[in-house]
Amino acid sequence: MTSSRSSKTSHARIKSDILEQIIDGTWQPGFQLPIETVLADSYGVSRMTMNKVLTQLANEGYVYRRKKKGTFVAEPRAQSAVMEITDIEREVLALDKTYRWDLLTRQNHPMSAKNLEQLTLPATTDTGGLFLEGIHYSCDTPFCLETRYINSDIVPNVLEQDFACLAPGSWLLKVMPWTKAAHQIRAINVSNPSARLLGLDPGSACLEIIRRTEIDATWVTWARLLYPGQAHQLIAQF
């Protein structure tokens, strides 16, 4: 009984200590924790106890674990995604990582019935749209899969942009004002096509953010941002 209580006490103490270093910024997002055996030795506990602490922290979203690579502090990016519209390139650069945008698809066509439903627009709406899909990279690792429709009837010069080098979100932030934004956020198990693009196994957990912006009650853009779940968490302060 004493051993069990001691293990629980050690578990709580170690978890609290690691959390404190993450929350106060001592261990920044992307920081790699010492390996499990080293941490166990430093705290004077068994490797099993250390593994339970790290597993719990991973389940709660404070760290993520990569097989054969180690344990890393999770990236608290979703605060900006929830509270404001930010540039994904800046999110990556803030982690001291190199950023790259890879455009996969660019199509100019009227909104389909499914598109209109996604945008919550009436089925009779006669609106042109530019469809774009691409991947944001952190170094050479897929960071976010972006699918976007832009209202070509209201966004000036959008059809003249090829978006091969500049991500559409970054371009819109520079040239297009908006007066209203709505976000829908949920956890999903990613389907095979999206999983393949993100370098994940089908069914992997992902964070999906669907964003719609308007100006004077007319939609500007609709975007679906899909992030690998193991490296992302939601943080918001009120």
Side-chain angles (χ1 to χ4, degrees):
M1 183 68 69
T2 302
S3 176
S4 175
R5 288 178 178 174
S6 175
S7 177
K8 289 181 180 179
T9 301
S10 297
H11 183 285
R13 174 176 57 84
I14 296 167
K15 181 184 176 185
S16 176
D17 185 56
I18 293 176
L19 274 177
E20 182 178 349
Q21 295 185 78
I22 293 174
I23 292 171
D24 70 12
T26 301
W27 289 354
Q28 294 287 321
F31 173 81
Q32 183 173 6
L33 278 66
I35 61 174
E36 195 173 281
T37 53
V38 171
L39 281 173
D41 289 342
S42 68
Y43 283 107
V45 297
S46 68
R47 182 175 180 179
M48 181 180 295
T49 296
M50 197 68 239
N51 181 270
K52 288 180 179 178
V53 172
L54 296 177
T55 298
Q56 185 175 359
L57 289 170
N59 290 338
E60 294 176 1
Y62 292 102
V63 302
Y64 64 97
R65 311 186 76 182
R66 293 271 178 84
K67 190 175 181 180
K68 297 182 180 181
K69 292 186 178 181
T71 304
F72 302 82
V73 176
E75 321 289 4
R77 262 175 297 286
Q79 177 178 358
S80 59
V82 174
M83 304 301 292
E84 59 181 309
I85 296 179
T86 59
D87 188 342
I88 294 178
E89 179 178 0
R90 292 185 180 180
E91 295 180 11
V92 174
L93 295 178
L95 298 170
D96 292 325
K97 306 290 186 180
T98 56
Y99 170 81
R100 176 166 59 89
W101 159 255
D102 185 9
L103 178 66
L104 303 176
T105 306
R106 182 189 186 281
Q107 297 175 346
N108 179 26
H109 56 71
M111 294 289 96
S112 66
K114 182 178 180 180
N115 300 155
L116 293 171
E117 181 180 355
Q118 290 171 327
L119 290 162
T120 65
L121 292 170
T124 55
T125 303
D126 182 16
T127 304
L130 180 64
F131 171 81
L132 301 158
E133 185 170 55
I135 301 176
H136 301 267
Y137 285 88
S138 173
C139 294
D140 291 323
T141 301
F143 181 82
C144 175
L145 173 62
E146 176 176 334
T147 305
R148 183 181 293 270
Y149 289 96
I150 301 176
N151 188 342
S152 55
D153 289 345
I154 196 170
V155 180
N157 305 316
V158 66
L159 297 181
E160 299 173 12
Q161 310 301 317
D162 61 16
F163 296 109
C165 299
L166 180 63
S170 300
W171 182 80
L172 284 167
L173 283 171
K174 295 176 182 177
V175 305
M176 189 65 199
W178 53 272
T179 56
K180 181 180 179 182
H183 292 168
Q184 175 184 318
I185 303 165
R186 63 174 182 164
I188 67 168
N189 296 110
V190 69
S191 62
N192 189 47
S194 296
R196 177 171 44 80
L197 292 174
L198 287 170
L200 301 174
D201 294 328
S204 295
C206 283
L207 174 69
E208 179 190 66
I209 299 176
I210 295 178
R211 176 182 298 146
R212 170 186 165 130
T213 60
E214 300 178 0
I215 184 168
D216 299 329
T218 301
W219 75 275
V220 174
T221 184
W222 173 89
R224 177 182 187 247
L225 306 174
L226 194 61
Y227 294 87
Q230 65 179 2
H232 295 79
Q233 63 180 354
L234 289 173
I235 295 179
Q237 298 179 357
F238 299 89

